[in-house]
Amino acid sequence: MDSRRYLLWFFGVAGALVTAAVAFNALADAYILRHRAGASVQLVSGFERVLKPAWLASLKPSMVFIGSSRARIAFDPTLVDPVFGVRSFNYGVSSASAYETRRYIQDVAHQPFVKTIVVALDAFTSGSAAQPYGGGFDELRLSVTAAGTPTPRRDLWLFTARYLSGGALGMHGLGVWLLAQLAPGELAADRPDVFPEYGHMTPAKFAHELTRRAERTMRMTGWQREQLDASLAALCSSSAQVYFYFPPDNMALIAHYRANDSQGFSAFKHAVQADVARHNAMCSNKVRLFDFMNENSITRDDAAARGRPSPYYLDPIHIRPPTGLLLLQQMLRGHGVIGTEVKTQ
Amino acid sequence: MIFSSYPYLVFLALTLVVFCALEDRLPGLKRTFLLLISLVFYAWWRVDFLALLLGSTFINFAIGSAITRRFAQGRSTRALLVAGLGVNLALIGWFKYAGLFAATANDLLALGVPIPHLFLPLAISFFTFEQISYLADAAGGRAPRYSLIDYTLFVSFFPHLIAGPIIRHNDLIPQFARIRSADERSDDIAVGTTLFTIGLAKKTLIADNLAPFSDAVFLATQHGAAISMSDAWMGTLFFAFQIYFDFSAYSDMALGSACMFGIRLPMNFNSPYKAASIIEFWRLWHISLSTFLRDYLYIPLGGNRFGSFRRYANLFITMLLGGLWHGANWTFMIWGALHGVYLIINHAWRKFARAFNLTAPPALQPFAHALSVLITFTAVVFAWTVFRAGDFSSAHRLVSAMVGMGGESHLLTFGPLAMGAFATLFALVWLAPNSMEITWRLKPALETRYKDAGLRKTRWQWAPSKASAIGFGLLFIVSVMALSNLSPFIYFQF
């Protein structure tokens, strides 16, 4: 074969594959974003770090949830939106580090269409300067740099992430596959076999997770606190209403935190309270702080310990989306008394 | 512009299309076009440093032309050469080393000298060395007079501008006048595309995926963590493979890009982890740097002409400065010094073995060779700890952990996955043919200047065929899908 024919075949194959990938990603993206239950794909773990910045830019939501898998699983826009009359977006990512959380907060605080920001604080106890972010995270996709200036050529990075990345192929493929299994009219909440985020914590899962997480602590390092303070600084000039909350880990797990590192656990809460109080004293845009990581009607749930599926939990640290709705009811509307609002002014 | 990025792929494709059109219709303009496009490539990073690149180029061109003229007239060129070297060393010294020297002086002598915090101009180490070689050759009568366009294109030709290979004027400039037939052009683009694809795959599918593991360990030591022996060895090994695939990927992509324009750059990388001695390692790793150091530092210092002691001293000085060339950090100098010591031991051992006629019996020679490769690899890996550590205390923590005097940490798990990864990586670097060997049928590079460090024969030689086109087309797209915007090449920082 001569080189000319080789090049024709090479570029033919490459061109065909690129076209196929772009076409699939474009069609799948439109399908997910327009599907009645499409927003529930935001609850799914996969390559969410690749696509969520692009989805945020497309959906232009008025309410955004940020945090680790605790936030990712807790808030389903298909449940939240009709109740609060908003378009919400779940920006939670698995094992979010403090740095990633800070960067997502910076990203969202820079968007004029975002009116409400809800942040799960446990993410500020993850990550280190040695490992600041997880695989697939690329801050060029965010609207601002870490220094707060607009990201150069962001549209290009969003385009390539959405249509030309392996992560997009994976996340789109997963999303389409999940949604395709729903019958007409069904939502994710109707099919916990397809969307396991809607499952219930069973006694076996409860026991297994408690054993697996027996050494767990909840403490914040100096580096992680720097990320929290950088997040608060980014929110100072934002016009969005901001809610920080300590997520409602099950009491059985909170007992582990206390037993393993009681001082670190209370220091974490005090540090957040002090930093939010300082922010509120300096900035016109106040942050409201809620503590659900204490003994309350959700965290006391011991159904699984008594051999029944839990109504609130997927496992001891992840609450189900309907439970997330209860938290929002208290934080945004003052309905119900689950956790406590922490005084910061 | 990073080679493994979408902007570069678009830039390369558009540049190639226009270049081919010019080659057919207006061949006289192709050099000017390549020059302009190379300056755009550099300015993409920071437009203000373009003035520095051009300023350095014009000054060196003027001095070099004057030296050439004086040499032709039989007049002394020494003063001009010293002035030219002074300008280049002052430039690189100011931008790259002023901060280090000031900080060190403050630490040692408490001078209170203000520390300049300068932005390191991209590629300054490379274009400075290339121009030093031009001035030295001009003073030795080995450089003809060039046009300003040719000379500027030699310095700024985009495939080698950012991170080498460090190219000589007389290797590159004569190629600018080459007229290609249509068949030659197809061959060049075919082999260039294939080589570029191999490099892209090494970068995005291998090197970038190793980085998080080595980073986790090295950054942990930088933050004072006492890591375990297992973490220290795994992190260092992952880094050894990361830098191998990262740098060889860069070299393949640079050579492949140049090939598409009918230009051959010097071979820069030839399976260095297969080396059976440190002497051989430096003939296979960053070949353009080691030949530069040999020809413009080691030999002018006296080389091996004044006895063993001077030879060892020259070797040590050369490697020490070669280490410091990599960056403004004493750890690089220590890395260079380590390799200097390795080379001295290697040369002394050779002399000893020759004197006492020490050779393994034929039956044991494969084992002796394997042992030599293993010892060389271990020595190189050990030196990488200092290279990557960032500061002495981190390097000390890491080396302590490697010899079992570390702490307890579980940053990486030595399970079946890690074992599989290491087995694959060792198989690739020790057993697989390299990209040069695979594509050598169409000679995508200039041959190495080391006469005894040629390419090994392989059955896996690439030739244009439907199967290879489909295979490499697939590999290209899979690699493109894995592009990351956060992973520049390690050698870009030098």
Side-chain angles (χ1 to χ4, degrees), chain A residues 224-296:
Chain A
Q224 289 159 351
R225 191 170 182 180
E226 284 170 23
Q227 309 313 313
L228 172 69
D229 292 343
S231 307
L232 288 165
L235 291 166
C236 202
S237 55
S238 163
S239 59
Q241 291 182 305
V242 186
Y243 301 86
F244 278 12
Y245 75 97
F246 296 102
D249 292 6
N250 190 275
M251 276 310 292
L253 208 63
I254 293 174
H256 280 326
Y257 303 154
R258 287 190 174 136
N260 293 334
D261 185 3
S262 172
Q263 210 172 14
F265 182 57
S266 56
F268 165 50
K269 287 191 171 183
H270 284 130
V272 171
Q273 188 180 354
D275 290 358
V276 171
R278 196 175 60 238
H279 166 92
N280 286 346
M282 288 184 339
C283 300
S284 57
N285 186 34
K286 311 295 180 200
V287 171
R288 291 179 67 186
L289 177 63
F290 287 84
D291 188 1
F292 299 103
M293 199 180 276
N294 51 22
E295 190 164 359
N296 58 56

Side-chain angles (χ1 to χ4, degrees), chain A residues 3-4 6 18 21 138 164 166, chain B residues 6 183 187 194 223 477 481 485:
Chain A
S3 294
R4 227 164 294 161
Y6 173 85
V18 165
D138 186 340
L164 277 171
Chain B
Y6 292 106
D183 284 345
D187 284 349
T194 306
H223 288 89
I477 289 307
M481 292 277 175
N485 297 310

Side-chain angles (χ1 to χ4, degrees), chain B residues 2-45:
Chain B
I2 300 167
F3 287 167
S4 54
S5 70
Y6 292 106
Y8 182 73
L9 296 180
V10 174
F11 168 88
L12 182 64
L14 292 179
T15 304
L16 188 60
V17 167
V18 176
F19 182 81
C20 291
L22 285 176
E23 234 180 357
D24 286 339
R25 297 187 185 110
L26 299 163
L29 281 182
K30 63 178 194 174
R31 268 182 276 197
T32 313
F33 171 72
L34 268 189
L35 173 58
L36 289 175
I37 215 72
S38 296
L39 298 179
V40 168
F41 174 83
Y42 191 78
W44 178 271
W45 167 69

Side-chain angles (χ1 to χ4, degrees), chain B residues 81-200:
Chain B
L81 176 64
V82 170
L85 293 179
V87 168
N88 283 296
L89 294 177
L91 192 71
I92 196 171
W94 173 248
F95 279 104
K96 194 164 176 174
Y97 300 109
L100 174 70
F101 293 148
T104 306
N106 287 345
D107 287 346
L108 296 178
L109 307 167
L111 293 179
V113 177
I115 298 171
H117 294 286
L118 299 169
F119 203 88
L120 183 66
L122 194 64
I124 189 168
S125 307
F126 291 92
F127 66 70
T128 304
F129 268 33
E130 283 159 354
Q131 300 194 96
I132 285 176
S133 76
Y134 164 66
L135 294 182
D137 284 355
R142 297 183 298 274
R145 292 194 67 180
Y146 298 118
S147 73
L148 180 60
I149 287 188
D150 277 346
Y151 182 79
T152 313
L153 182 54
F154 146 65
V155 176
S156 62
F157 182 48
F158 70 88
H160 79 86
L161 174 60
I162 306 294
I166 299 169
I167 192 159
R168 316 276 175 96
H169 57 97
N170 48 3
D171 279 339
L172 187 60
I173 295 178
Q175 295 188 60
F176 294 151
R178 180 183 165 208
I179 306 288
R180 300 189 282 185
S181 68
D183 284 345
E184 284 174 329
R185 187 162 73 193
S186 301
D187 284 349
D188 283 350
I189 298 175
V191 71
T193 308
T194 306
L195 193 54
F196 187 90
T197 301
I198 295 172
L200 187 64

Side-chain angles (χ1 to χ4, degrees), chain B residues 63 112 223 277 281 302 356 484:
Chain B
I63 296 173
H223 288 89
S277 68
F281 174 81
F356 292 93
S484 159

Side-chain angles (χ1 to χ4, degrees), chain B residues 469-487:
Chain B
I470 293 172
F472 279 108
L474 267 169
L475 185 64
F476 177 74
I477 289 307
V478 171
S479 309
V480 165
M481 292 277 175
L483 283 182
S484 159
N485 297 310
L486 296 180
S487 302

